[in-house]
Amino acid sequence: MAAIIVLDGSEWNWICGTPSGNSSSLYNPLEETSMTKWDQVRADSCFPNFLLLIPHILFLILFLLIVAIVSFRKKSRRRTSSSPKILIRYPGHVQRWITNTLYLNVILLSIGEGVLSDNKLQGATQPHLYLPQVFAFLTGIMATYYYHVLEARKKPRMAFGLLLYWVLVTACEAYRMTVWVQSTKIDFTVVRFDVMVLVLFSYAMYICLEIFVIAKKVFYLSIPKPNGIKPNMKYHQDNVSMFSSATFLWFDWVFHLGYKRPLEMDDLGCLPKQFTSKFNRHRFYKALKITYC
């Protein structure tokens, strides 16, 4: 068994709970025979869970402050009813939203597993089983909005903050899983272990995405491609966030304008190149030639 962190004193009871039995301390290896199996698991996992809680809380506050400062210093222009908001997507935008969906759902599963485990254990409630996951979910939502501000304000250097956050929580989560695996016999049939593996996979994806953005947008390791936005182009499904694109929130300006007055052809502007009939005719003839030659 790995080295056990001995937590003695009631100052830890707010997060670790009170052991089942007469002792008010958490776990002492010298008194192992007097502890139940679940008390030993709790003693092994309380400190790593508390350690994991720290970066989630710190970066939740940090992200809130940075977003507030950036929004205050550089207010976005007010969008008129006939002018949709444009967002130049950074590399890995779609992959990030897929990772966001996976990560937040896995964290919700982890919260449920922690609450059920807390109900199963004897004695007082033990917030360390679910509190880190609750703050991980809140910080995950904040990190998603933080990245949206990063893209919208064209501030790729903000990605360094996200990279630092993902690296720290990856290290804490890996330590937490190592301590827990060494303190009890588990396999892939254990829900908590499966959740930890998925969380670590999500963190690895985030780290790769942040490095990719920093390499492309901060150090310019590749030649940037033209965005293809024309002066009078108002169809921007490919130039908004993935969420806005999937829900067509980017198109609400048409409804606002149509509510005020009848729409005219000039209100719709021009189409992107990939949606014009000339471009698609070329694609069709090319595919037809390849198929029948």
PDB file of all heavy atoms in Angstrom, residues 132-165:
ATOM      1  N   PRO A 132     -15.193  17.993  -4.967  1.00  0.00           N
ATOM      2  CA  PRO A 132     -14.276  18.333  -6.068  1.00  0.00           C
ATOM      3  C   PRO A 132     -14.946  18.246  -7.436  1.00  0.00           C
ATOM      4  O   PRO A 132     -14.677  19.065  -8.318  1.00  0.00           O
ATOM      5  CB  PRO A 132     -13.158  17.299  -5.930  1.00  0.00           C
ATOM      6  CG  PRO A 132     -13.203  16.868  -4.507  1.00  0.00           C
ATOM      7  CD  PRO A 132     -14.649  16.902  -4.131  1.00  0.00           C
ATOM      8  N   GLN A 133     -15.832  17.262  -7.612  1.00  0.00           N
ATOM      9  CA  GLN A 133     -16.511  17.111  -8.895  1.00  0.00           C
ATOM     10  C   GLN A 133     -17.507  18.249  -9.139  1.00  0.00           C
ATOM     11  O   GLN A 133     -17.697  18.684 -10.278  1.00  0.00           O
ATOM     12  CB  GLN A 133     -17.232  15.763  -8.957  1.00  0.00           C
ATOM     13  CG  GLN A 133     -16.316  14.560  -9.078  1.00  0.00           C
ATOM     14  CD  GLN A 133     -15.588  14.242  -7.792  1.00  0.00           C
ATOM     15  OE1 GLN A 133     -16.071  14.546  -6.699  1.00  0.00           O
ATOM     16  NE2 GLN A 133     -14.431  13.625  -7.892  1.00  0.00           N
ATOM     17  N   VAL A 134     -18.145  18.720  -8.074  1.00  0.00           N
ATOM     18  CA  VAL A 134     -19.070  19.849  -8.220  1.00  0.00           C
ATOM     19  C   VAL A 134     -18.321  21.080  -8.718  1.00  0.00           C
ATOM     20  O   VAL A 134     -18.751  21.763  -9.660  1.00  0.00           O
ATOM     21  CB  VAL A 134     -19.778  20.155  -6.880  1.00  0.00           C
ATOM     22  CG1 VAL A 134     -20.562  21.460  -6.969  1.00  0.00           C
ATOM     23  CG2 VAL A 134     -20.721  19.006  -6.506  1.00  0.00           C
ATOM     24  N   PHE A 135     -17.175  21.357  -8.101  1.00  0.00           N
ATOM     25  CA  PHE A 135     -16.387  22.512  -8.536  1.00  0.00           C
ATOM     26  C   PHE A 135     -15.737  22.257  -9.892  1.00  0.00           C
ATOM     27  O   PHE A 135     -15.501  23.204 -10.651  1.00  0.00           O
ATOM     28  CB  PHE A 135     -15.343  22.865  -7.482  1.00  0.00           C
ATOM     29  CG  PHE A 135     -15.876  23.720  -6.376  1.00  0.00           C
ATOM     30  CD1 PHE A 135     -16.364  23.153  -5.209  1.00  0.00           C
ATOM     31  CD2 PHE A 135     -15.936  25.108  -6.515  1.00  0.00           C
ATOM     32  CE1 PHE A 135     -16.876  23.935  -4.189  1.00  0.00           C
ATOM     33  CE2 PHE A 135     -16.442  25.897  -5.505  1.00  0.00           C
ATOM     34  CZ  PHE A 135     -16.916  25.319  -4.337  1.00  0.00           C
ATOM     35  N   ALA A 136     -15.428  21.001 -10.208  1.00  0.00           N
ATOM     36  CA  ALA A 136     -14.904  20.685 -11.539  1.00  0.00           C
ATOM     37  C   ALA A 136     -15.947  21.001 -12.603  1.00  0.00           C
ATOM     38  O   ALA A 136     -15.622  21.513 -13.687  1.00  0.00           O
ATOM     39  CB  ALA A 136     -14.499  19.215 -11.608  1.00  0.00           C
ATOM     40  N   PHE A 137     -17.214  20.714 -12.300  1.00  0.00           N
ATOM     41  CA  PHE A 137     -18.294  21.011 -13.253  1.00  0.00           C
ATOM     42  C   PHE A 137     -18.453  22.517 -13.433  1.00  0.00           C
ATOM     43  O   PHE A 137     -18.563  23.013 -14.560  1.00  0.00           O
ATOM     44  CB  PHE A 137     -19.601  20.391 -12.749  1.00  0.00           C
ATOM     45  CG  PHE A 137     -20.761  20.588 -13.678  1.00  0.00           C
ATOM     46  CD1 PHE A 137     -20.895  19.793 -14.808  1.00  0.00           C
ATOM     47  CD2 PHE A 137     -21.713  21.557 -13.436  1.00  0.00           C
ATOM     48  CE1 PHE A 137     -21.955  19.975 -15.676  1.00  0.00           C
ATOM     49  CE2 PHE A 137     -22.781  21.739 -14.296  1.00  0.00           C
ATOM     50  CZ  PHE A 137     -22.903  20.938 -15.420  1.00  0.00           C
ATOM     51  N   LEU A 138     -18.439  23.261 -12.326  1.00  0.00           N
ATOM     52  CA  LEU A 138     -18.574  24.720 -12.403  1.00  0.00           C
ATOM     53  C   LEU A 138     -17.392  25.339 -13.153  1.00  0.00           C
ATOM     54  O   LEU A 138     -17.576  26.223 -14.006  1.00  0.00           O
ATOM     55  CB  LEU A 138     -18.674  25.308 -10.996  1.00  0.00           C
ATOM     56  CG  LEU A 138     -19.904  24.920 -10.176  1.00  0.00           C
ATOM     57  CD1 LEU A 138     -19.809  25.501  -8.765  1.00  0.00           C
ATOM     58  CD2 LEU A 138     -21.182  25.398 -10.861  1.00  0.00           C
ATOM     59  N   THR A 139     -16.188  24.879 -12.850  1.00  0.00           N
ATOM     60  CA  THR A 139     -15.011  25.414 -13.523  1.00  0.00           C
ATOM     61  C   THR A 139     -14.982  24.990 -14.985  1.00  0.00           C
ATOM     62  O   THR A 139     -14.496  25.742 -15.844  1.00  0.00           O
ATOM     63  CB  THR A 139     -13.730  24.949 -12.815  1.00  0.00           C
ATOM     64  OG1 THR A 139     -13.860  25.146 -11.411  1.00  0.00           O
ATOM     65  CG2 THR A 139     -12.518  25.731 -13.306  1.00  0.00           C
ATOM     66  N   GLY A 140     -15.505  23.805 -15.289  1.00  0.00           N
ATOM     67  CA  GLY A 140     -15.582  23.374 -16.685  1.00  0.00           C
ATOM     68  C   GLY A 140     -16.485  24.268 -17.504  1.00  0.00           C
ATOM     69  O   GLY A 140     -16.163  24.624 -18.649  1.00  0.00           O
ATOM     70  N   ILE A 141     -17.637  24.652 -16.932  1.00  0.00           N
ATOM     71  CA  ILE A 141     -18.528  25.591 -17.617  1.00  0.00           C
ATOM     72  C   ILE A 141     -17.848  26.945 -17.788  1.00  0.00           C
ATOM     73  O   ILE A 141     -17.910  27.577 -18.847  1.00  0.00           O
ATOM     74  CB  ILE A 141     -19.853  25.737 -16.846  1.00  0.00           C
ATOM     75  CG1 ILE A 141     -20.620  24.408 -16.878  1.00  0.00           C
ATOM     76  CG2 ILE A 141     -20.704  26.860 -17.425  1.00  0.00           C
ATOM     77  CD1 ILE A 141     -21.891  24.431 -16.068  1.00  0.00           C
ATOM     78  N   MET A 142     -17.165  27.396 -16.721  1.00  0.00           N
ATOM     79  CA  MET A 142     -16.466  28.676 -16.793  1.00  0.00           C
ATOM     80  C   MET A 142     -15.331  28.622 -17.806  1.00  0.00           C
ATOM     81  O   MET A 142     -15.087  29.593 -18.531  1.00  0.00           O
ATOM     82  CB  MET A 142     -15.923  29.031 -15.404  1.00  0.00           C
ATOM     83  CG  MET A 142     -15.383  30.451 -15.305  1.00  0.00           C
ATOM     84  SD  MET A 142     -16.673  31.679 -15.611  1.00  0.00           S
ATOM     85  CE  MET A 142     -15.759  32.869 -16.595  1.00  0.00           C
ATOM     86  N   ALA A 143     -14.622  27.503 -17.890  1.00  0.00           N
ATOM     87  CA  ALA A 143     -13.544  27.354 -18.864  1.00  0.00           C
ATOM     88  C   ALA A 143     -14.082  27.389 -20.293  1.00  0.00           C
ATOM     89  O   ALA A 143     -13.428  27.918 -21.201  1.00  0.00           O
ATOM     90  CB  ALA A 143     -12.783  26.048 -18.617  1.00  0.00           C
ATOM     91  N   THR A 144     -15.280  26.846 -20.495  1.00  0.00           N
ATOM     92  CA  THR A 144     -15.912  26.903 -21.815  1.00  0.00           C
ATOM     93  C   THR A 144     -16.212  28.345 -22.215  1.00  0.00           C
ATOM     94  O   THR A 144     -15.938  28.766 -23.347  1.00  0.00           O
ATOM     95  CB  THR A 144     -17.208  26.075 -21.821  1.00  0.00           C
ATOM     96  OG1 THR A 144     -16.909  24.721 -21.468  1.00  0.00           O
ATOM     97  CG2 THR A 144     -17.865  26.108 -23.183  1.00  0.00           C
ATOM     98  N   TYR A 145     -16.765  29.112 -21.284  1.00  0.00           N
ATOM     99  CA  TYR A 145     -17.040  30.520 -21.568  1.00  0.00           C
ATOM    100  C   TYR A 145     -15.740  31.310 -21.705  1.00  0.00           C
ATOM    101  O   TYR A 145     -15.643  32.215 -22.538  1.00  0.00           O
ATOM    102  CB  TYR A 145     -17.907  31.126 -20.461  1.00  0.00           C
ATOM    103  CG  TYR A 145     -18.277  32.569 -20.724  1.00  0.00           C
ATOM    104  CD1 TYR A 145     -19.143  32.907 -21.756  1.00  0.00           C
ATOM    105  CD2 TYR A 145     -17.737  33.595 -19.946  1.00  0.00           C
ATOM    106  CE1 TYR A 145     -19.463  34.226 -22.008  1.00  0.00           C
ATOM    107  CE2 TYR A 145     -18.054  34.924 -20.205  1.00  0.00           C
ATOM    108  CZ  TYR A 145     -18.927  35.225 -21.231  1.00  0.00           C
ATOM    109  OH  TYR A 145     -19.229  36.535 -21.492  1.00  0.00           O
ATOM    110  N   TYR A 146     -14.757  30.981 -20.900  1.00  0.00           N
ATOM    111  CA  TYR A 146     -13.438  31.619 -20.969  1.00  0.00           C
ATOM    112  C   TYR A 146     -12.838  31.448 -22.368  1.00  0.00           C
ATOM    113  O   TYR A 146     -12.302  32.396 -22.947  1.00  0.00           O
ATOM    114  CB  TYR A 146     -12.535  30.995 -19.909  1.00  0.00           C
ATOM    115  CG  TYR A 146     -11.116  31.501 -19.860  1.00  0.00           C
ATOM    116  CD1 TYR A 146     -10.751  32.540 -19.011  1.00  0.00           C
ATOM    117  CD2 TYR A 146     -10.121  30.910 -20.632  1.00  0.00           C
ATOM    118  CE1 TYR A 146      -9.433  32.992 -18.945  1.00  0.00           C
ATOM    119  CE2 TYR A 146      -8.810  31.346 -20.574  1.00  0.00           C
ATOM    120  CZ  TYR A 146      -8.469  32.391 -19.731  1.00  0.00           C
ATOM    121  OH  TYR A 146      -7.165  32.829 -19.684  1.00  0.00           O
ATOM    122  N   TYR A 147     -12.957  30.235 -22.913  1.00  0.00           N
ATOM    123  CA  TYR A 147     -12.421  30.007 -24.253  1.00  0.00           C
ATOM    124  C   TYR A 147     -13.226  30.759 -25.304  1.00  0.00           C
ATOM    125  O   TYR A 147     -12.675  31.232 -26.298  1.00  0.00           O
ATOM    126  CB  TYR A 147     -12.411  28.513 -24.572  1.00  0.00           C
ATOM    127  CG  TYR A 147     -11.754  28.217 -25.897  1.00  0.00           C
ATOM    128  CD1 TYR A 147     -10.369  28.159 -26.002  1.00  0.00           C
ATOM    129  CD2 TYR A 147     -12.511  28.038 -27.050  1.00  0.00           C
ATOM    130  CE1 TYR A 147      -9.756  27.916 -27.221  1.00  0.00           C
ATOM    131  CE2 TYR A 147     -11.908  27.796 -28.273  1.00  0.00           C
ATOM    132  CZ  TYR A 147     -10.539  27.741 -28.349  1.00  0.00           C
ATOM    133  OH  TYR A 147      -9.927  27.514 -29.551  1.00  0.00           O
ATOM    134  N   HIS A 148     -14.542  30.869 -25.090  1.00  0.00           N
ATOM    135  CA  HIS A 148     -15.355  31.651 -26.027  1.00  0.00           C
ATOM    136  C   HIS A 148     -14.904  33.109 -26.044  1.00  0.00           C
ATOM    137  O   HIS A 148     -14.804  33.725 -27.118  1.00  0.00           O
ATOM    138  CB  HIS A 148     -16.833  31.570 -25.639  1.00  0.00           C
ATOM    139  CG  HIS A 148     -17.712  32.475 -26.441  1.00  0.00           C
ATOM    140  ND1 HIS A 148     -18.033  32.217 -27.760  1.00  0.00           N
ATOM    141  CD2 HIS A 148     -18.325  33.651 -26.124  1.00  0.00           C
ATOM    142  CE1 HIS A 148     -18.796  33.184 -28.227  1.00  0.00           C
ATOM    143  NE2 HIS A 148     -18.998  34.067 -27.254  1.00  0.00           N
ATOM    144  N   VAL A 149     -14.625  33.663 -24.877  1.00  0.00           N
ATOM    145  CA  VAL A 149     -14.111  35.038 -24.803  1.00  0.00           C
ATOM    146  C   VAL A 149     -12.748  35.113 -25.486  1.00  0.00           C
ATOM    147  O   VAL A 149     -12.444  36.087 -26.192  1.00  0.00           O
ATOM    148  CB  VAL A 149     -14.017  35.491 -23.331  1.00  0.00           C
ATOM    149  CG1 VAL A 149     -13.321  36.839 -23.222  1.00  0.00           C
ATOM    150  CG2 VAL A 149     -15.412  35.574 -22.714  1.00  0.00           C
ATOM    151  N   LEU A 150     -11.926  34.093 -25.302  1.00  0.00           N
ATOM    152  CA  LEU A 150     -10.612  34.034 -25.940  1.00  0.00           C
ATOM    153  C   LEU A 150     -10.741  34.152 -27.458  1.00  0.00           C
ATOM    154  O   LEU A 150      -9.987  34.891 -28.107  1.00  0.00           O
ATOM    155  CB  LEU A 150      -9.939  32.726 -25.535  1.00  0.00           C
ATOM    156  CG  LEU A 150      -8.538  32.352 -26.031  1.00  0.00           C
ATOM    157  CD1 LEU A 150      -7.914  31.391 -25.039  1.00  0.00           C
ATOM    158  CD2 LEU A 150      -8.550  31.715 -27.413  1.00  0.00           C
ATOM    159  N   GLU A 151     -11.690  33.416 -28.030  1.00  0.00           N
ATOM    160  CA  GLU A 151     -11.905  33.466 -29.480  1.00  0.00           C
ATOM    161  C   GLU A 151     -12.535  34.780 -29.918  1.00  0.00           C
ATOM    162  O   GLU A 151     -12.116  35.386 -30.906  1.00  0.00           O
ATOM    163  CB  GLU A 151     -12.801  32.302 -29.917  1.00  0.00           C
ATOM    164  CG  GLU A 151     -12.105  30.979 -30.057  1.00  0.00           C
ATOM    165  CD  GLU A 151     -13.002  29.915 -30.636  1.00  0.00           C
ATOM    166  OE1 GLU A 151     -14.195  29.873 -30.293  1.00  0.00           O
ATOM    167  OE2 GLU A 151     -12.511  29.109 -31.452  1.00  0.00           O
ATOM    168  N   ALA A 152     -13.576  35.196 -29.186  1.00  0.00           N
ATOM    169  CA  ALA A 152     -14.306  36.390 -29.582  1.00  0.00           C
ATOM    170  C   ALA A 152     -13.447  37.641 -29.509  1.00  0.00           C
ATOM    171  O   ALA A 152     -13.540  38.533 -30.362  1.00  0.00           O
ATOM    172  CB  ALA A 152     -15.558  36.553 -28.715  1.00  0.00           C
ATOM    173  N   ARG A 153     -12.589  37.735 -28.488  1.00  0.00           N
ATOM    174  CA  ARG A 153     -11.727  38.913 -28.312  1.00  0.00           C
ATOM    175  C   ARG A 153     -10.393  38.775 -29.026  1.00  0.00           C
ATOM    176  O   ARG A 153      -9.575  39.694 -28.983  1.00  0.00           O
ATOM    177  CB  ARG A 153     -11.452  39.152 -26.827  1.00  0.00           C
ATOM    178  CG  ARG A 153     -12.679  39.171 -25.944  1.00  0.00           C
ATOM    179  CD  ARG A 153     -13.577  40.334 -26.252  1.00  0.00           C
ATOM    180  NE  ARG A 153     -14.674  40.407 -25.318  1.00  0.00           N
ATOM    181  CZ  ARG A 153     -15.673  41.266 -25.405  1.00  0.00           C
ATOM    182  NH1 ARG A 153     -15.700  42.124 -26.395  1.00  0.00           N
ATOM    183  NH2 ARG A 153     -16.648  41.263 -24.513  1.00  0.00           N
ATOM    184  N   LYS A 154     -10.180  37.597 -29.657  1.00  0.00           N
ATOM    185  CA  LYS A 154      -8.920  37.342 -30.384  1.00  0.00           C
ATOM    186  C   LYS A 154      -7.711  37.525 -29.458  1.00  0.00           C
ATOM    187  O   LYS A 154      -6.768  38.250 -29.766  1.00  0.00           O
ATOM    188  CB  LYS A 154      -8.813  38.251 -31.606  1.00  0.00           C
ATOM    189  CG  LYS A 154      -9.916  38.026 -32.631  1.00  0.00           C
ATOM    190  CD  LYS A 154      -9.771  38.966 -33.813  1.00  0.00           C
ATOM    191  CE  LYS A 154     -10.837  38.694 -34.858  1.00  0.00           C
ATOM    192  NZ  LYS A 154     -12.196  38.914 -34.362  1.00  0.00           N
ATOM    193  N   LYS A 155      -7.752  36.839 -28.330  1.00  0.00           N
ATOM    194  CA  LYS A 155      -6.667  36.882 -27.356  1.00  0.00           C
ATOM    195  C   LYS A 155      -6.147  35.467 -27.110  1.00  0.00           C
ATOM    196  O   LYS A 155      -6.447  34.848 -26.089  1.00  0.00           O
ATOM    197  CB  LYS A 155      -7.145  37.513 -26.046  1.00  0.00           C
ATOM    198  CG  LYS A 155      -7.464  38.995 -26.180  1.00  0.00           C
ATOM    199  CD  LYS A 155      -7.793  39.609 -24.845  1.00  0.00           C
ATOM    200  CE  LYS A 155      -8.015  41.100 -24.965  1.00  0.00           C
ATOM    201  NZ  LYS A 155      -6.810  41.835 -25.364  1.00  0.00           N
ATOM    202  N   PRO A 156      -5.378  34.935 -28.064  1.00  0.00           N
ATOM    203  CA  PRO A 156      -4.927  33.536 -27.933  1.00  0.00           C
ATOM    204  C   PRO A 156      -4.008  33.291 -26.747  1.00  0.00           C
ATOM    205  O   PRO A 156      -3.889  32.145 -26.291  1.00  0.00           O
ATOM    206  CB  PRO A 156      -4.192  33.282 -29.265  1.00  0.00           C
ATOM    207  CG  PRO A 156      -3.788  34.641 -29.746  1.00  0.00           C
ATOM    208  CD  PRO A 156      -4.874  35.565 -29.293  1.00  0.00           C
ATOM    209  N   ARG A 157      -3.363  34.336 -26.230  1.00  0.00           N
ATOM    210  CA  ARG A 157      -2.466  34.129 -25.082  1.00  0.00           C
ATOM    211  C   ARG A 157      -3.237  33.721 -23.821  1.00  0.00           C
ATOM    212  O   ARG A 157      -2.628  33.205 -22.870  1.00  0.00           O
ATOM    213  CB  ARG A 157      -1.655  35.400 -24.821  1.00  0.00           C
ATOM    214  CG  ARG A 157      -0.676  35.726 -25.939  1.00  0.00           C
ATOM    215  CD  ARG A 157       0.164  36.944 -25.632  1.00  0.00           C
ATOM    216  NE  ARG A 157       1.026  37.282 -26.753  1.00  0.00           N
ATOM    217  CZ  ARG A 157       2.203  36.728 -26.999  1.00  0.00           C
ATOM    218  NH1 ARG A 157       2.675  35.811 -26.161  1.00  0.00           N
ATOM    219  NH2 ARG A 157       2.931  37.082 -28.049  1.00  0.00           N
ATOM    220  N   MET A 158      -4.534  33.941 -23.806  1.00  0.00           N
ATOM    221  CA  MET A 158      -5.340  33.469 -22.681  1.00  0.00           C
ATOM    222  C   MET A 158      -5.330  31.946 -22.582  1.00  0.00           C
ATOM    223  O   MET A 158      -5.668  31.384 -21.535  1.00  0.00           O
ATOM    224  CB  MET A 158      -6.780  33.986 -22.803  1.00  0.00           C
ATOM    225  CG  MET A 158      -6.929  35.477 -22.592  1.00  0.00           C
ATOM    226  SD  MET A 158      -8.609  36.077 -22.967  1.00  0.00           S
ATOM    227  CE  MET A 158      -9.593  35.143 -21.784  1.00  0.00           C
ATOM    228  N   ALA A 159      -4.945  31.282 -23.671  1.00  0.00           N
ATOM    229  CA  ALA A 159      -4.899  29.816 -23.664  1.00  0.00           C
ATOM    230  C   ALA A 159      -3.845  29.288 -22.699  1.00  0.00           C
ATOM    231  O   ALA A 159      -3.925  28.128 -22.268  1.00  0.00           O
ATOM    232  CB  ALA A 159      -4.632  29.285 -25.070  1.00  0.00           C
ATOM    233  N   PHE A 160      -2.843  30.115 -22.355  1.00  0.00           N
ATOM    234  CA  PHE A 160      -1.840  29.676 -21.383  1.00  0.00           C
ATOM    235  C   PHE A 160      -2.483  29.392 -20.018  1.00  0.00           C
ATOM    236  O   PHE A 160      -2.079  28.477 -19.306  1.00  0.00           O
ATOM    237  CB  PHE A 160      -0.745  30.730 -21.235  1.00  0.00           C
ATOM    238  CG  PHE A 160       0.232  30.757 -22.371  1.00  0.00           C
ATOM    239  CD1 PHE A 160       0.210  31.779 -23.302  1.00  0.00           C
ATOM    240  CD2 PHE A 160       1.176  29.747 -22.518  1.00  0.00           C
ATOM    241  CE1 PHE A 160       1.116  31.810 -24.350  1.00  0.00           C
ATOM    242  CE2 PHE A 160       2.085  29.753 -23.565  1.00  0.00           C
ATOM    243  CZ  PHE A 160       2.054  30.794 -24.495  1.00  0.00           C
ATOM    244  N   GLY A 161      -3.481  30.197 -19.639  1.00  0.00           N
ATOM    245  CA  GLY A 161      -4.194  29.956 -18.385  1.00  0.00           C
ATOM    246  C   GLY A 161      -4.939  28.640 -18.399  1.00  0.00           C
ATOM    247  O   GLY A 161      -4.915  27.885 -17.415  1.00  0.00           O
ATOM    248  N   LEU A 162      -5.594  28.336 -19.517  1.00  0.00           N
ATOM    249  CA  LEU A 162      -6.289  27.054 -19.642  1.00  0.00           C
ATOM    250  C   LEU A 162      -5.303  25.892 -19.614  1.00  0.00           C
ATOM    251  O   LEU A 162      -5.563  24.864 -18.974  1.00  0.00           O
ATOM    252  CB  LEU A 162      -7.084  27.022 -20.949  1.00  0.00           C
ATOM    253  CG  LEU A 162      -8.370  27.846 -20.991  1.00  0.00           C
ATOM    254  CD1 LEU A 162      -8.919  27.898 -22.408  1.00  0.00           C
ATOM    255  CD2 LEU A 162      -9.415  27.285 -20.036  1.00  0.00           C
ATOM    256  N   LEU A 163      -4.171  26.056 -20.293  1.00  0.00           N
ATOM    257  CA  LEU A 163      -3.170  24.981 -20.312  1.00  0.00           C
ATOM    258  C   LEU A 163      -2.652  24.691 -18.906  1.00  0.00           C
ATOM    259  O   LEU A 163      -2.529  23.519 -18.513  1.00  0.00           O
ATOM    260  CB  LEU A 163      -2.013  25.378 -21.234  1.00  0.00           C
ATOM    261  CG  LEU A 163      -0.867  24.360 -21.345  1.00  0.00           C
ATOM    262  CD1 LEU A 163      -1.364  23.028 -21.893  1.00  0.00           C
ATOM    263  CD2 LEU A 163       0.251  24.912 -22.225  1.00  0.00           C
ATOM    264  N   LEU A 164      -2.372  25.748 -18.150  1.00  0.00           N
ATOM    265  CA  LEU A 164      -1.904  25.559 -16.776  1.00  0.00           C
ATOM    266  C   LEU A 164      -2.965  24.858 -15.930  1.00  0.00           C
ATOM    267  O   LEU A 164      -2.645  23.956 -15.130  1.00  0.00           O
ATOM    268  CB  LEU A 164      -1.548  26.913 -16.163  1.00  0.00           C
ATOM    269  CG  LEU A 164      -1.064  26.897 -14.703  1.00  0.00           C
ATOM    270  CD1 LEU A 164       0.200  26.057 -14.566  1.00  0.00           C
ATOM    271  CD2 LEU A 164      -0.823  28.313 -14.198  1.00  0.00           C
ATOM    272  N   TYR A 165      -4.200  25.239 -16.101  1.00  0.00           N
ATOM    273  CA  TYR A 165      -5.295  24.616 -15.339  1.00  0.00           C
ATOM    274  C   TYR A 165      -5.404  23.129 -15.651  1.00  0.00           C
ATOM    275  O   TYR A 165      -5.467  22.293 -14.739  1.00  0.00           O
ATOM    276  CB  TYR A 165      -6.604  25.324 -15.661  1.00  0.00           C
ATOM    277  CG  TYR A 165      -7.830  24.621 -15.132  1.00  0.00           C
ATOM    278  CD1 TYR A 165      -8.032  24.468 -13.766  1.00  0.00           C
ATOM    279  CD2 TYR A 165      -8.785  24.089 -16.009  1.00  0.00           C
ATOM    280  CE1 TYR A 165      -9.159  23.813 -13.280  1.00  0.00           C
ATOM    281  CE2 TYR A 165      -9.907  23.449 -15.533  1.00  0.00           C
ATOM    282  CZ  TYR A 165     -10.094  23.302 -14.167  1.00  0.00           C
ATOM    283  OH  TYR A 165     -11.203  22.648 -13.698  1.00  0.00           O
TER     284      TYR A 165
END
